Amino acid sequence: MLFRHLSKRRRLLYQWSSAVLVLSLILAVLIFADLLKPVSNSGDSQPTANAITSVLSRGQQVETRLSFKPVKNSGIAFRHFPAIRNSLLPEDMGSGLAWGDYDNDGDPDLFLVNFQHGIVDEKNSQPGMHALYRNDGKGHFTDVTGQSGLNQPDFGLGAAWGDYNNDGQLDLYISCFGANRLYRNNGDSSFEDVTKQAGVGDNSFSTSIAWGDYNRDGHLDLYVNNYVQFEYHSTDKRRSSKQYESETPYTINPSSYAPVANRLYRNNGDGTFTDIAVDAGVANSEGRSLGVVWADFDADGWPDLYVANDISANSVYRNRGDGTFTDIGASSLAADYRGAMGLALADIDQDQDLDLFVTHWLAQENGLFENMTSEGLSNKAGQARLFFMDNAEMSGLGQVSLRNVGWATGFSDFDHDGYPDLWVINGSTLQIPDDNTHLKPQQMHLYQHEPEAGFFEVSGQANPLLLKPFVGRGGAQADFDGDGLVDIAVQVHGGELMLLKNTTKSSNNWLGLRLRQSGANVFAQGAVVTVRSTSMTQTAQVGGGGSYLSQHSTDINFGLGPADRIETVTVNWPDGTEESYQDLTLNMVNQVQHVVNYNGIKTIN
């Protein structure tokens, strides 16, 4: 980022001091100019918010390298929510999608979540159904939903793949408005609903979900976000309030409803789970939760937990390593009270700790929380002090987001220059005034990362078609066609899936990694990888959640710029083992296998 030669602490001091000075000067100039204006008959001579934010806008100041192309002949024929919108909160919140190689052929397959019909409407003759698409690895997908057994209608919101029984096959959890579902992979391209016997059948209003081995016993645990206690009463539809000059019905305002506590399902290792959220200290009972990610923010080997909440403070839970967590929301400086939805992880400043991006509601600016752990500060207990600084404005990610409602998001080095770029899916929660059966569409954002300068919005330059607004919600990234370039899939609310192929031209080298463990946490969820090349050091994590209602591929793609070799690749495996590798091949996906050293791990059928 800016001033990279300075320490992170000093750099941020300079940045924030400069920001305060610049804003003060801007406001002084605007107010002084305003005082010189003649008073109008209406008395309305106050400087507008647009006048201020337009001064802060960065505009297009870089040569765009990124390029994307919507795919039209992928074989995917999917439409989300084939019903008439009825101004009810659960209908407006999703749905998402999940990339995962369920058949172990090396190609990421795609599961698409659907909302079967309107909540108060009669069932359609052909309700909206989930869909599983098998990837042939060449850019084409085949609908295998019928034979998979994943064709039960739900009021579906989120999905995440995870091998909970350590048999080497990805299982699937689906969050819903109503009964959630856990499907066990039978290993023959079919799935069985084991929700009841596993004990994970929450029946609330669940949103994003994340698999992670919080207690490092080799069995994947499951964190499930819950949103609000939504109950439909016909009389509520006559109640409304004004939001940004739009009439907002009571039934789509989340503040109308009380929050619901979240679930942390501990994997018992025998095919069952126990909800220990309260005992572990992560129930988050006051938060209306929409986003979640497991991440070892303080690099102590234990996955911490970040929960993004709507119209309530976010939660930051530090893993104590004894099965419990400490709520450090206030001291972390990353738990402010905004409307938060989507999450993305990356080491954006190459200091070997994970930074966090958070999407927010209208006029609240997205947040880029730079992890300050590497500064070496300690708390009273002698631990590394875990706290963040919101650097969104100085990085170019703040002002540009003011007019949008952000949802799914992700970091990826689209041009392989060694610096993670960023995408954000937007879509309003406000209705079109003349047609309340539709929400206001918004343009997605694609940001190119420029070292020393920050992020620049380049979606129109990457493809003019990306300027077309739509109502976005879920989305996730994967290299679906195996060309080494990471692509994006987007759920359009009430519309067709948008599959965006990365067509960026680059001569830069890259390194692909697919991590696997034998016998426990087979897909290495939570492993942290550091790649050192001749010119830079990069860090990334396998899995852990993020985006919004969605799941990225767990393969890791590192751009290396012009470097033609790597010095070393270090993997901190979830069992605590650290291993280094030098003999990996560039410009391909390398599968790295690890023999775990957990005790007492067994495969559960």
Side-chain angles (χ1 to χ4, degrees):
M1 306 303 293
L2 304 174
F3 313 113
R4 192 174 301 227
H5 61 284
L6 300 174
S7 74
K8 186 184 293 184
R9 189 168 20 162
R10 288 181 178 275
R11 189 170 70 245
L12 286 168
L13 276 173
Y14 280 122
Q15 290 175 343
W16 282 107
S17 298
S18 300
V20 171
L21 178 60
V22 170
L23 285 172
S24 299
L25 289 172
I26 291 171
L27 289 172
V29 169
L30 288 172
I31 293 172
F32 182 72
D34 187 62
L35 291 173
L36 297 179
K37 290 180 181 179
V39 179
S40 68
N41 292 333
S42 65
D44 182 14
S45 60
Q46 298 300 312
T48 66
N50 284 341
I52 298 175
T53 57
S54 63
V55 176
L56 298 176
S57 178
R58 305 183 76 179
Q60 174 64 28
Q61 301 175 26
V62 295
E63 180 180 351
T64 304
R65 298 183 298 275
L66 307 186
S67 175
F68 280 82
K69 176 183 177 182
V71 180
K72 297 299 183 182
N73 299 310
S74 66
I76 297 176
F78 178 86
R79 187 172 188 85
H80 174 258
F81 189 47
I84 297 175
R85 179 181 175 274
N86 202 27
S87 298
L88 301 176
L89 187 59
E91 296 178 356
D92 287 357
M93 299 308 295
S95 305
L97 54 87
W99 291 103
D101 185 9
Y102 81 92
D103 55 1
N104 285 329
D105 66 352
D107 306 311
D109 308 299
L110 184 59
F111 182 78
L112 302 172
V113 185
N114 215 336
F115 210 84
Q116 58 176 304
H117 54 72
I119 293 175
V120 297
D121 295 340
E122 293 292 329
K123 291 185 178 181
N124 298 328
S125 57
Q126 292 184 330
M129 306 292 288
H130 307 311
L132 176 62
Y133 284 92
R134 181 174 54 81
N135 186 355
D136 68 0
K138 300 177 182 178
H140 191 270
F141 295 82
T142 301
D143 188 343
V144 295
T145 313
Q147 67 196 63
S148 72
L150 298 174
N151 55 351
Q152 297 299 311
D154 294 308
F155 295 110
L157 292 166
W161 299 97
D163 180 12
Y164 80 91
N165 56 358
N166 286 329
D167 65 352
Q169 308 287 337
L170 285 176
D171 311 297
L172 183 67
Y173 193 82
I174 305 173
S175 65
C176 301
F177 172 64
N180 297 344
R181 296 183 188 269
L182 174 62
Y183 287 97
R184 184 180 64 202
N185 190 332
N186 295 323
D188 59 359
S189 297
S190 70
F191 294 79
E192 180 180 353
D193 188 338
V194 295
T195 311
K196 184 176 180 180
Q197 64 197 66
V200 292
D202 199 358
N203 193 18
S204 300
F205 184 170
S206 299
T207 55
S208 293
I209 48 190
W211 295 96
D213 185 9
Y214 83 93
N215 55 1
R216 293 173 57 180
D217 66 352
H219 301 290
L220 282 185
D221 310 295
L222 180 66
Y223 194 84
V224 180
N225 277 354
N226 285 320
Y227 194 35
V228 298
Q229 298 176 19
F230 180 86
E231 294 183 3
Y232 173 70
H233 303 285
S234 59
T235 54
D236 289 341
K237 294 200 69 175
R238 295 193 290 270
R239 304 167 64 184
S240 64
S241 59
K242 207 80 170 179
Q243 290 182 305
Y244 294 95
E245 300 182 355
S246 294
E247 200 69 27
T248 301
Y250 177 93
T251 52
I252 63 172
N253 188 343
S255 62
S256 302
Y257 306 97
V260 179
N262 298 338
R263 309 280 190 175
L264 173 55
Y265 291 110
R266 184 191 64 209
N267 191 331
N268 299 321
D270 60 358
T272 68
F273 294 78
T274 301
D275 179 16
I276 52 91
V278 173
D279 292 340
V282 294
N284 192 52
S285 58
E286 300 302 316
R288 297 168 175 85
S289 301
L290 291 177
V292 59
V293 65
W294 294 103
D296 185 9
F297 289 116
D298 55 4
D300 66 352
W302 296 92
D304 308 300
L305 185 67
Y306 188 96
V307 180
N309 295 317
D310 193 10
I311 55 170
S312 36
N314 293 348
S315 296
V316 186
Y317 297 108
R318 188 172 194 172
N319 194 331
R320 299 175 63 184
D322 61 359
T324 66
F325 295 75
T326 301
D327 186 348
I328 62 167
S331 64
S332 75
L333 306 181
D336 50 356
Y337 191 111
R338 283 186 265 185
M341 280 76 80
L343 300 172
L345 286 175
D347 179 15
I348 60 168
D349 48 6
Q350 297 185 355
D351 63 351
Q352 289 83 70
D353 55 29
L354 296 171
D355 308 299
L356 181 70
F357 178 76
V358 185
T359 62
H360 290 124
W361 198 64
L362 190 70
Q364 296 180 354
E365 288 201 353
N366 295 334
L368 179 62
F369 292 102
E370 191 173 348
N371 190 338
M372 304 294 289
T373 304
S374 62
E375 284 296 287
L377 301 178
S378 300
N379 60 20
K380 292 181 180 180
Q383 296 174 303
R385 185 184 171 194
L386 176 54
F387 71 106
F388 302 80
M389 291 293 288
D390 187 354
N391 201 26
E393 189 61 66
M394 299 302 295
S395 298
L397 297 173
Q399 186 273 339
V400 68
S401 65
L402 280 171
R403 295 181 180 276
N404 296 303
V405 179
W407 302 90
T409 183
F411 284 107
S412 184
D413 185 1
F414 292 124
D415 57 355
H416 291 153
D417 66 348
Y419 300 93
D421 307 299
L422 177 70
W423 55 271
V424 180
I425 302 305
N426 299 309
S428 184
T429 57
L430 302 179
Q431 303 176 148
I432 295 177
D434 297 332
D435 182 4
N436 60 17
T437 64
H438 290 87
L439 296 166
K440 293 180 179 179
Q442 295 178 335
Q443 174 205 330
M444 73 172 288
H445 282 164
L446 178 65
Y447 297 95
Q448 184 170 295
H449 189 174
E450 291 294 306
E452 310 297 335
F455 293 84
F456 293 81
E457 208 288 313
V458 298
S459 53
Q461 292 72 34
N463 191 318
L465 293 176
L466 299 185
L467 294 175
K468 182 179 180 180
F470 59 92
V471 181
R473 290 296 185 265
Q477 62 198 30
D479 177 12
F480 74 85
D481 53 1
D483 64 356
L485 297 171
V486 176
D487 314 295
I488 307 170
V490 180
Q491 274 275 38
V492 178
H493 188 279
E496 298 179 355
L497 180 83
M498 182 185 300
L499 186 62
L500 299 175
K501 175 179 169 55
N502 186 349
T503 55
T504 300
K505 303 296 183 183
S506 173
S507 60
N508 293 325
N509 292 311
W510 59 279
L511 175 69
L513 292 175
R514 180 175 298 149
L515 305 188
R516 295 291 183 267
Q517 297 190 143
S518 61
N521 188 0
V522 176
F523 291 80
Q525 292 268 18
V528 177
V529 182
T530 299
V531 174
R532 292 177 173 84
S533 64
T534 54
S535 59
M536 64 183 68
T537 300
Q538 303 176 63
T539 299
Q541 175 181 281
V542 176
S547 194
Y548 171 74
L549 303 178
S550 303
Q551 185 182 46
H552 307 300
S553 168
T554 54
D555 287 356
I556 304 180
N557 187 297
F558 288 97
L560 301 175
D564 58 3
R565 67 182 181 88
I566 54 173
E567 295 180 352
T568 185
V569 173
T570 302
V571 180
N572 286 284
W573 295 94
D575 65 359
T577 303
E578 180 181 297
E579 294 179 337
S580 295
Y581 309 86
Q582 287 83 32
D583 56 346
L584 301 177
T585 306
L586 301 190
N587 303 320
M588 66 171 289
V589 177
N590 298 258
Q591 180 157 318
V592 180
Q593 193 76 31
H594 171 63
V595 179
V596 301
N597 63 4
Y598 297 107
N599 295 319
I601 299 300
K602 58 183 179 179
T603 298
I604 306 300
N605 296 315

